[in-house]
Amino acid sequence: MASIVPLKKKLMEVKLGELPSWILMRNFTPSGIVGAFQRGHDRYYNKYINVRKGSISGINMVLEAYVVFSYCISYKELKHERRSKYH
């Protein structure tokens, strides 16, 4: 009896009931994770940076992500510097 090999689906094509089995099919080895980051970088670069009529939007998204990340990291220190009523 031949085994049935499921086809790879994109995340947006997976139904909610199929999500756990879809996650378990992913490659979580170090080479698989590096490959996922490389594919993500290539998709981002080709969509926002390497275009014929480029704009500042691709670089702006990276800067916005940096600002949000740095705010989240320093939130604990910034929380104590808020204005508060001293009475």
Side-chain angles (χ1 to χ4, degrees), residues 37-78:
F37 275 104
Q38 286 175 345
R39 284 191 305 274
H41 174 266
D42 291 342
R43 287 182 69 190
Y44 175 81
Y45 183 79
N46 288 330
K47 186 172 183 179
Y48 295 108
I49 307 297
N50 190 21
V51 292
R52 192 170 291 182
K53 293 176 108 179
S55 67
I56 193 77
S57 64
I59 298 169
N60 192 22
M61 287 172 39
V62 173
L63 291 175
E64 288 174 4
Y66 171 73
V67 167
V68 170
F69 179 73
S70 64
Y71 179 77
C72 291
I73 295 297
S74 62
Y75 178 74
K76 190 174 184 179
E77 290 83 20
L78 292 174

Side-chain angles (χ1 to χ4, degrees), residues 2-51:
S3 62
I4 298 173
V5 178
L7 297 174
K8 287 190 176 184
K9 291 183 179 181
K10 295 180 182 177
L11 178 60
M12 297 303 291
E13 297 172 355
V14 176
K15 295 181 180 175
L16 193 56
E18 301 171 346
L19 189 61
S21 62
W22 181 85
I23 290 174
L24 292 175
M25 285 187 345
R26 301 291 101 194
N27 185 4
F28 289 110
T29 61
S31 63
I33 294 171
V34 168
F37 275 104
Q38 286 175 345
R39 284 191 305 274
H41 174 266
D42 291 342
R43 287 182 69 190
Y44 175 81
Y45 183 79
N46 288 330
K47 186 172 183 179
Y48 295 108
I49 307 297
N50 190 21
V51 292

Side-chain angles (χ1 to χ4, degrees), residues 71 74-84 86:
Y71 179 77
S74 62
Y75 178 74
K76 190 174 184 179
E77 290 83 20
L78 292 174
K79 183 171 69 171
H80 296 294
E81 297 178 10
R82 290 186 201 164
R83 287 189 194 177
S84 59
Y86 295 102

